[in-house]
């Protein structure tokens, strides 16, 4: 994929900007929109994304994975979250970095990065996908009510060069995406995702529509839904928003 990075001084949301652009004109796969000042970043659901100007990475990548069927959307989540996790692990080290379902990057019990993927499906294939990434890099103080944010500077004790970090993430993702295009095999991806899943195999408390319960994450299915084994033995399948972790 040819990566083309376009830096725009200030934007409401890199996802919204790229979404509009991709719908209006023939924007190329590999276009990356980045801003230093995202004024109303979007999160999953109705959430917002806090990012102090000039401190973090807030960017969106356009891909056109026409070879993926609509029901294979989870592959994109896996490729992106594993790419970010890989780069963060290289820099920060440690097993405490995990992917928290559905697609957050966590350091211990704190959120280091968020991912917002918007897919446009035509027929039965994914015509294009806007992959939005917010990574907390050099921000020291968080002011919104976002639950437990953390940044790389807080974990590492020193500031990082955001340009090289961006390049590393883009390269890691580009390599993984190109490899998958050549050999669209999900076994390795699935295993890697599960191996790095926050809370897997641990007995924990969750909250679903019936209330609080004790259970254990045992995996995700092909659609990216979370599988939790309840204490009494049944395995429940959850889509986003249907279950909450008690942290
Ligand atoms: C979440 O954890 O809820 C997802 C957060 C995604 C934030 C990124 S920042 C760059 C891109 N543009 C947006 O408006 N959101 C994503």
């Amino acid at each position: 994929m040819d990566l083309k990075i376009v830096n725009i001084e200030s934007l409401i949301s890199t996802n919204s900007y790229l979404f509009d652009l991709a719908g209006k004109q023939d924007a190329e796969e590999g276009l990356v929109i980045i801003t230093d000042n995202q004024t109303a970043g979007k999160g999953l659901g109705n959430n917002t994304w806090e990012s102090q100007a000039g401190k973090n990475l807030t960017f969106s990548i356009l891909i056109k994975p026409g070879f993926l069927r609509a029901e294979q959307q989870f592959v994109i989540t896996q490729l992106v979250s594993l790419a970010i996790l890989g780069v963060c692990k290289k820099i920060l080290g440690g097993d405490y970095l995990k992917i928290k379902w559905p697609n957050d990057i966590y350091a211990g019990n704190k959120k280091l990065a968020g991912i917002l993927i918007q897919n446009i499906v035509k027929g039965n294939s994914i015509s294009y996908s806007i992959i939005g990434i917010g990574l907390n890099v050099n921000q020291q103080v968080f002011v919104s009510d976002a639950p437990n944010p953390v940044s790389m500077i807080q974990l590492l004790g020193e500031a990082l060069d955001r340009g090289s970090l961006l390049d590393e993430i883009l390269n890691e993702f580009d390599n993984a995406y190109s490899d998958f295009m050549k050999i669209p095999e999900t076994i390795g991806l699935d295993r890697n995702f599960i191996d790095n899943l926050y809370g897997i195999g641990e007995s924990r408390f969750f909250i679903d529509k019936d209330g609080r319960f004790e259970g254990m994450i045992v995996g995700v299915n092909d659609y990216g839904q979370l599988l939790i084994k309840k204490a009494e033995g049944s395995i429940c399948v959850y889509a986003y928003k249907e279950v909450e972790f008690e942290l």
Side-chain angles (χ1 to χ4, degrees):
M1 166 164 79
D2 277 335
L3 291 160
K4 184 182 170 207
I5 303 172
V6 176
N7 197 328
I8 299 176
E9 208 176 302
S10 174
L11 280 178
I12 293 172
S13 150
T14 57
N15 260 46
S16 310
Y17 182 87
L18 191 51
F19 190 89
D20 289 348
L21 197 71
K24 267 190 254 148
Q25 65 191 64
D26 200 20
E28 299 274 343
E29 177 167 69
L31 177 61
V32 178
I33 300 293
I34 182 161
T35 186
D36 253 354
N37 184 23
Q38 182 169 253
T39 54
K42 296 200 305 184
L44 276 183
N46 291 325
N47 298 339
T48 53
W49 183 255
E50 173 188 349
S51 181
Q52 189 184 346
K55 294 286 182 188
N56 302 309
L57 283 179
T58 48
F59 62 102
S60 301
I61 312 166
L62 175 67
I63 57 167
K64 300 186 172 181
F67 63 97
L68 286 178
R69 296 188 308 279
E71 65 272 19
Q72 291 180 295
Q73 300 189 4
F74 182 53
V75 166
I76 304 173
T77 302
Q78 290 176 305
L79 290 169
V80 178
S81 49
L82 285 166
I84 301 170
L85 185 76
V87 172
C88 290
K89 275 191 170 178
K90 253 186 251 162
I91 296 167
L92 301 170
D95 278 347
Y96 69 113
L97 294 169
K98 299 280 176 198
I99 299 167
K100 181 166 173 287
W101 182 86
N103 52 10
D104 293 336
I105 305 299
Y106 260 56
N109 285 328
K110 295 186 165 199
K111 181 160 168 172
L112 182 61
I115 302 164
L116 177 66
I117 300 172
Q118 295 174 279
N119 293 314
I120 287 71
V121 173
K122 288 216 176 96
N124 190 33
S125 60
I126 303 176
S127 155
Y128 56 96
S129 181
I130 314 282
I131 301 166
I133 296 165
L135 172 61
N136 298 328
V137 186
N138 292 330
Q139 181 165 345
Q140 295 274 20
V141 182
F142 292 85
V143 292
S144 76
D145 56 1
N148 24 300
V150 72
S151 59
M152 296 181 89
I153 195 171
Q154 289 173 331
L155 296 167
L156 197 64
E158 62 187 60
L160 284 157
D161 180 79
R162 292 174 303 134
S164 8
L165 194 54
L166 173 70
D167 288 343
E168 280 188 59
I169 293 172
L170 291 175
N171 283 335
E172 187 96 7
F173 171 69
D174 186 21
N175 288 340
Y177 179 63
S178 309
D179 286 350
F180 186 82
M181 255 194 285
K182 275 181 230 140
I183 307 169
E185 179 57 73
T186 54
I187 295 176
L189 260 190
D190 290 340
R191 202 195 44 232
N192 213 348
F193 191 84
I194 293 298
D195 282 352
N196 286 292
L197 195 59
Y198 173 92
I200 189 136
E202 294 170 12
S203 201
R204 288 173 165 265
F205 283 93
F206 300 89
I207 301 151
D208 70 6
K209 62 175 184 0
D210 299 322
R212 183 174 184 261
F213 68 93
E214 190 171 2
M216 188 184 278
I217 297 175
V218 289
V220 286
N221 64 17
D222 289 350
Y223 307 104
Q225 293 167 316
L226 191 66
L227 309 178
I228 300 180
K229 187 173 182 183
K230 291 197 167 173
E232 26 74 13
S234 63
I235 293 185
C236 295
V237 182
Y238 293 101
Y240 176 62
K241 285 278 184 202
E242 288 177 352
V243 69
E244 261 177 56
F245 295 60
E246 203 178 81
L247 284 180

